[in-house]
Amino acid sequence: MAETSTIEWTDATWNPITGCTLASPGCQFCYAADLAATRLSQHPSRAGLARRNAAGVAAWTGEVRLNEQWLEQPLRWKRPRRIFVCAHADLFHEAVPDEWIDRVFAVMALAPQHTFQVLIKRAARMRGYVSKLDIYALEEADEWRDADHRVACDDDPNGSPAWHAQTAALEDALSAARTCLEAGKPLPNVWLGVSAEDQQRADERIPDLLATPAAVRFASLEPLLGPVVLTNIKAKAGAGIDVFSAFEYDGDPDEDAEFGTSVLDWVIVGGESGPHARPMHPAWARSLRDQCATAGVPFLFKQWGEWGHAAPAPSGTPGKYAIASAPLGSDMFPTRVVPVDHYPRQFSLFGGASVMERVGKRAAGRRLDGRIWDEMPEVAHAHLS
């Protein structure tokens, strides 16, 4: 956990829960599991949660851990900030009890000065939990009870002005959260997002996200391992959803209809980093940027990852290269990235294919077609300026 973060789309990380398991191919080389298995392996919050195999790939053991010492940390951070929740876990992992989630939501409700960014893969469980979230669940959490008790007992005439000011802020937060949840509205400072690495995972997770009450809904397509078309997310057999307009269609004009009022508010895209990183096709990132631009939805390009555009080299030059096939725009000829151990011959690039090279995260950078894309939902800066 850190009061600051180098992650491009947040300001701080908060890890009240740690531990996870692999959910899909995007998890195969999880950076958090690698940290838990190496540099943080002796830390009480990570010890025993992950192990490296003979190939040097780390994996979670399946155990999850509640870190009591960090639960109330956001309540002590005075400066408003964006906070990535459970950066080394999935808040809605099947092994995490509802009671732990209640406590996390209680803290988020008590800290309205912050914006909490919850990014997960277990979208169905998130939908079920958040859709039924009410004030009674939060009132049972220790953190809520402590705040309620402090407000009720704040009658000490010798208390410092700072103490009384903090107590008044807690009282306002308690009141606002009660009003919000009793009215069936989502907490305004909690953003909910899902991560997906390809079309299949986007189809599986985004419909549940759109059906979940949230102030802001976002998708993190990182590590991006395949093309994703957000205007045709498959919610059910034969039907598609345009996540930017909430329009559902199945090819029959008489059956097309509004899926609802929920839309995707923000899209993050990035390539994979780390020693086992897989390359991202430039066309996949460009397509998502263009989809967002057409819909007027904020787009943030986080990084290329370890792979960048290769400088020209003589054919056969040894190295870590990949051929990114020409984007032909046809389902019959999908874009692919094929790793090779040498710079390819010119005939391999026929039709407009390009060459990528493993150059390292820093050298690859985060420019897409010559510029940095750091767009955020407008509400992000309402109280973070």
Side-chain angles (χ1 to χ4, degrees):
M1 183 170 69
E3 289 194 47
T4 59
S5 174
T6 59
I7 298 173
E8 289 77 3
W9 47 265
T10 197
D11 300 317
T13 56
W14 174 44
N15 290 302
I17 298 168
T18 44
C20 201
T21 50
L22 186 148
S24 57
C27 305
Q28 186 174 355
F29 305 119
C30 176
Y31 80 96
D34 194 67
L35 280 173
T38 55
R39 184 160 60 87
L40 298 177
S41 63
Q42 302 306 309
H43 194 281
S45 67
R46 309 300 202 286
L49 296 186
R51 291 189 293 267
R52 269 185 171 178
N53 62 20
V57 178
W60 297 106
T61 62
E63 179 186 353
V64 296
R65 186 166 297 154
L66 178 67
N67 301 302
E68 296 264 3
Q69 71 276 22
W70 292 336
L71 260 171
E72 296 188 9
Q73 186 66 53
L75 303 179
R76 294 190 284 272
W77 289 340
K78 295 180 180 180
R79 177 179 59 82
R81 64 198 74 189
R82 289 178 292 264
I83 300 173
F84 179 11
V85 180
C86 293
H88 291 191
D90 188 320
L91 181 60
F92 291 96
H93 188 277
E94 51 271 18
V96 176
D98 280 357
E99 292 75 19
W100 293 7
I101 305 175
D102 293 343
R103 296 181 69 178
V104 171
F105 267 81
V107 171
M108 295 192 292
L110 293 170
Q113 73 273 25
H114 301 313
T115 295
F116 293 90
Q117 299 162 307
V118 180
L119 180 62
I120 56 91
K121 288 183 171 66
R122 280 76 175 175
R125 187 180 178 200
M126 177 177 70
R127 175 183 180 180
Y129 175 90
V130 176
S131 297
K132 297 178 181 178
L133 181 64
D134 58 35
I135 192 62
Y136 304 109
L138 300 193
E139 286 177 335
E140 293 300 313
D142 291 344
E143 291 68 27
W144 187 281
R145 288 182 174 182
D146 290 345
D148 222 6
H149 179 74
R150 174 170 170 172
V151 168
C153 298
D154 185 36
D155 56 0
D156 182 3
N158 298 318
S160 70
W163 171 268
H164 289 302
Q166 292 171 2
T167 304
L170 278 177
E171 184 174 17
D172 290 343
L174 289 165
S175 175
R178 284 193 177 99
T179 299
C180 179
L181 293 176
E182 287 173 355
K185 298 179 179 179
L187 294 171
N189 65 326
V190 177
W191 298 6
L192 300 180
V194 296
S195 62
E197 62 268 36
D198 54 24
Q199 191 71 52
Q200 178 183 337
R201 262 48 70 161
D203 289 345
E204 291 170 356
R205 297 167 188 164
I206 290 179
D208 280 319
L209 173 65
L210 296 182
T212 304
V216 169
R217 298 176 184 85
F218 67 101
S220 175
L221 307 177
E222 181 196 10
L224 188 60
L225 303 179
V228 177
V229 179
L230 292 171
T231 54
N232 189 18
I233 293 293
K234 296 296 190 296
K236 57 184 180 182
I241 298 172
D242 181 344
V243 303
F244 301 125
S245 67
F247 193 76
E248 183 179 27
Y249 55 90
D250 61 8
D252 182 350
D254 295 330
E255 297 295 331
D256 294 348
E258 290 292 329
F259 178 71
T261 59
S262 303
V263 296
L264 209 56
D265 302 299
W266 186 32
V267 175
I268 301 165
V269 169
E272 191 166 38
S273 58
H276 306 282
R278 295 156 285 186
M280 173 180 65
H281 198 301
W284 303 339
R286 291 189 178 110
S287 171
L288 285 160
R289 175 203 58 195
D290 294 345
Q291 292 175 54
C292 290
T294 299
V297 170
F299 172 82
L300 189 147
F301 185 66
K302 182 174 177 286
Q303 62 182 28
W304 280 103
E306 301 292 334
W307 295 78
H309 297 279
S315 297
T317 300
K320 295 182 178 180
Y321 294 100
I323 301 174
S325 64
L328 301 179
S330 168
D331 291 339
M332 293 182 62
F333 302 98
T335 49
R336 298 185 302 152
V337 185
V338 182
V340 293
D341 59 7
H342 60 274
Y343 195 90
R345 300 180 184 278
Q346 286 303 310
F347 72 80
S348 300
L349 307 180
F350 178 77
S354 58
V355 184
M356 303 190 73
E357 182 180 7
R358 188 181 178 110
V359 296
K361 178 180 175 180
R362 178 171 295 185
R366 33 185 323 251
R367 289 185 176 273
L368 177 59
D369 292 334
R371 64 161 282 191
I372 299 292
W373 300 83
D374 266 343
E375 297 171 348
M376 302 279 290
E378 289 185 9
V379 295
H381 301 290
H383 59 277
L384 292 168
S385 57

